[in-house]
Structures are given as structure tokens and as C-alpha cells.
Amino acid sequence: MATKILASSSHGFENECKEIHESWGRSNQLIRALAGRTQLECRRIRETYKEMYGEDLITLLQKSSHRNQPGVSPKTCAALSLWMLDPHERDAIVAREALLQDDTNYTALVEIFVGRKSSHVALIKQAYHSKYKTHLDQDIINIEPPHPYQKILVALSTSHKAHQADVSQHTAKCDARRLYETGEGSPGAIDEGLVLEIFTKRSIPHLKLTFSCYKHIYGHDYTKSISNGNSGEFKDALKMVVNCICNPPNYYAKVLFANFKGMAADRGAVTRVMVSRSEMEMDEIQRVFKAKFGVELREAICESIPSGDFRDFLLALANKTVIVL
């Protein structure tokens, strides 16, 4: 049964912080105290804990994630520390870790730029610069060796700077026709220049409408024309980005399934998706997951993740039903 979380502005969280402090060293207690909270509650618990004990709860969790202590799962503490962060702070950390991997984790970066509002992306960039003293956009531009994902990410970043939620049915139809005429409507590969131009100038809601118009006009998804093209790595990158834009619940359900079945190399994807989407569209992700793969998300977690604190944490997120009062 889903856990109902009631957020009250009059609640001080002193008792919860005392419980957390006294149960430190027992991951299962920390999960019960923290994993069922809303983002607002997490922020207030963090503030109250600092006032009561003079220590930052996230810093303590991060330290525990690098130690081997009896009763404490480093992996669970790392996941809890991400969960307790404000979303823009969390995304800044995820972006940095994605950039520092030997093979840049482009999917994590795409999820940030596609799945966040422009105002949120601006906060991510501020948090990134404050924490790492460098600019996220420039770090993406400086990735070596160059990669098709890199081009798309630069375009998406520019789009977030220039636009809010400007959506025009007429312009979306025109963009759809231009994509067709320079793609499956003409011989040869996809016109990368045109795709990047549209990604640079249009907001995410507008791009979503453009791909919807494409399907309405031509009778099939734009991703089908991408699959039929011959554009190599750019084709693969574009298809992933378009899928993430058009149907996030379907995209995230497939990411989770692939990781549960060991078919993906992105080891941090399960934590990233469960933490970042739990208060956004987790119910819809679970519905799609069951429809596509014939099993409940909770069952897949139990079948794929070894028994322990980390599995308990994922189940707590999957069981959340948030009601804010």
C-alpha cells in the first residue's frame, strides 16, 4: 500500500531529527525516517537537524557513503544524501558525476536538460557553478572526444536560455514539415544542422508539440523516420532524446527495466530515476512499467535488487503517494 505523506507548515520536525540522530548507524531506521518525505519536508528536516546538532545531515550521509560502518550501507547513504538535496542541487551533482566518468554519461545529462523547466535549469547551472567553480555549459562544450550527444546538449542548453514555454501550433507544424522534408522525405541521412537549429530555438514543450504534429501529419512517430535513416551515432543520440521528450514515463520505465535485467551499463540509473521522478510521475511510470513488462515495478525491484537497505529504500520511493496539505 502506498504511504501517504502529509506536509504541514506547522510541523517543526524536532522529534524526527532526534530519532534520526539517535538511530545513526542503522540504515533501516534512516530509510523509515527520510525516504517517505516530500522535498519540502526534507528541506525542513535538514534545517532543523542543523539547528539542533550543528551538523549538516547531507554531509553526514555523504561521509557515511564513503565508509564501511556496521549497520550502515554506503550505497543507501549515498542514495539518501541525493534524496535529501533540493532538486537543483541534486541535478548539479548528477551532472558533475556524469561529466567526470571515463565515458561521459550523456543519458543522465539529457534527462536533466529535457526533464526540467528552464527556471529549474537556471538554478542547476547556478548550483553547479557555486559548487564546482566552473560553468556547466562550458564543461559540456569541452568534452573530449566530441560526440553527437554533445551537440544536442549544447543546443538544448541554448534553448533553455532563450525560451520559457513558448508553444505555437503553427510553428510546430512548420517545424514538423521541415523535419520530414529534410529527413524521410528526401534521400540521404538526417539533416543534423536543421535538427540542431530547431533544438536550439525551441522550448521543450514546443519540441514535444512538434513531434506530436509530426505523428498527426505523417501517421507515425518521428523516431520511426530516425530509425530508417542512416546517420550513425547522431541517429542513436537523437532517438534517445526524442523518446525522453515525447513520453517520459515510457522512457523511464524502459531505463529501469533495462537496468533490472542487467542490459544497461549505466549503474547509477536506478537510483537517479527513482529519486528524481518519485514526486513527478512515479505513478505513471509504474503504470507503464506494468503494461509494457507484465510485472509491477515493486516486484521487479524485489526480484532484481538483493535484500537489504538499498532495496528497502527503492521500495519506499515506489510506495510513495504524496498528499500536500
Side-chain angles (χ1 to χ4, degrees), residues 170 184 186 214 265:
H170 172 72
E184 63 180 309
S186 65
Y214 193 102

Side-chain angles (χ1 to χ4, degrees), residues 6-302:
L6 302 181
S8 170
S9 59
S10 62
H11 191 46
F13 298 105
E14 288 85 359
N15 291 336
E16 286 81 353
C17 289
K18 182 179 179 181
E19 178 185 347
I20 292 168
H21 185 73
E22 292 176 350
S23 66
W24 201 263
R26 299 192 297 277
S27 296
N28 57 343
Q29 296 288 343
L30 293 174
I31 292 168
R32 280 196 285 270
L34 300 174
R37 299 296 179 177
T38 66
Q39 286 302 312
L40 175 60
E41 289 176 318
C42 286
R43 188 181 308 122
R44 296 200 59 203
I45 288 173
R46 183 181 178 185
E47 292 169 353
T48 304
Y49 193 94
K50 182 69 178 288
E51 291 172 2
M52 292 178 65
Y53 300 105
E55 294 180 293
D56 181 62
L57 188 53
I58 294 175
T59 300
L60 290 174
L61 287 166
Q62 290 172 340
K63 288 180 179 178
S64 294
S65 70
H66 297 294
R67 299 172 180 168
N68 288 317
Q69 298 171 271
V72 178
S73 163
K75 188 173 186 178
T76 304
C77 285
L80 279 169
S81 70
L82 279 179
W83 172 244
M84 291 296 293
L85 285 163
D86 283 342
H88 63 278
E89 295 178 297
R90 176 195 308 142
D91 286 338
I93 291 174
V94 169
R96 184 66 172 180
E97 291 177 349
L99 287 164
L100 291 179
Q101 290 184 22
D102 291 337
D103 292 321
T104 303
N105 189 343
Y106 288 106
T107 56
L109 293 167
V110 168
E111 289 167 13
I112 289 172
F113 281 97
V114 167
R116 311 293 187 260
K117 295 180 179 179
S118 294
S119 57
H120 186 95
V121 171
L123 291 175
I124 294 169
K125 292 179 180 180
Q126 291 174 15
Y128 187 94
H129 183 261
S130 176
K131 188 173 182 64
Y132 303 114
K133 310 307 177 188
T134 183
H135 295 283
L136 177 56
D137 289 352
Q138 194 60 49
D139 285 349
I140 292 173
I141 292 171
N142 291 339
I143 294 173
E144 292 291 345
H147 193 280
Y149 270 118
Q150 184 181 25
K151 299 178 185 177
I152 296 174
L153 285 165
V154 171
L156 291 173
S157 180
T158 303
S159 174
H160 277 293
K161 289 179 184 177
H163 303 276
Q164 298 301 316
D166 53 319
V167 176
S168 163
Q169 186 83 21
H170 172 72
T171 306
K173 288 180 179 178
C174 291
D175 287 344
R177 291 191 177 97
R178 293 174 71 201
L179 288 171
Y180 178 82
E181 291 166 0
T182 59
E184 63 180 309
S186 65
I190 295 169
D191 186 337
E192 293 185 19
L194 175 64
V195 171
L196 294 173
E197 175 197 332
I198 292 175
F199 272 47
T200 299
K201 294 180 177 180
R202 312 299 186 218
S203 65
I204 298 300
H206 184 98
L207 290 172
K208 188 170 185 176
L209 179 60
T210 296
F211 299 131
S212 176
C213 289
Y214 193 102
K215 183 174 182 178
H216 179 75
I217 296 171
Y218 301 109
H220 56 263
D221 291 328
Y222 178 58
T223 51
K224 182 178 180 181
S225 69
I226 297 173
S227 299
N228 292 336
N230 184 25
S231 302
E233 287 186 327
F234 186 84
K235 174 196 73 175
D236 295 336
L238 180 60
K239 187 174 181 179
M240 177 267 170
V241 173
V242 173
N243 281 329
C244 195
I245 290 173
C246 291
N247 194 339
N250 184 71
Y251 165 81
Y252 288 113
K254 290 172 68 175
V255 168
L256 289 172
F257 184 78
N259 277 270
F260 290 151
K261 294 302 180 182
M263 297 183 294
D266 186 358
R267 295 182 179 179
V270 171
T271 299
R272 186 178 71 246
V273 170
M274 294 295 294
V275 167
S276 67
R277 313 315 291 184
S278 64
E279 288 196 346
M280 299 181 70
E281 65 230 318
M282 186 53 68
D283 287 346
E284 185 65 12
I285 291 171
Q286 294 194 62
R287 185 192 67 77
V288 173
F289 194 96
K290 175 65 181 297
K292 287 185 71 69
F293 306 115
V295 61
E296 297 284 355
L297 176 60
R298 299 174 187 85
E299 294 176 27
I301 291 171
C302 290

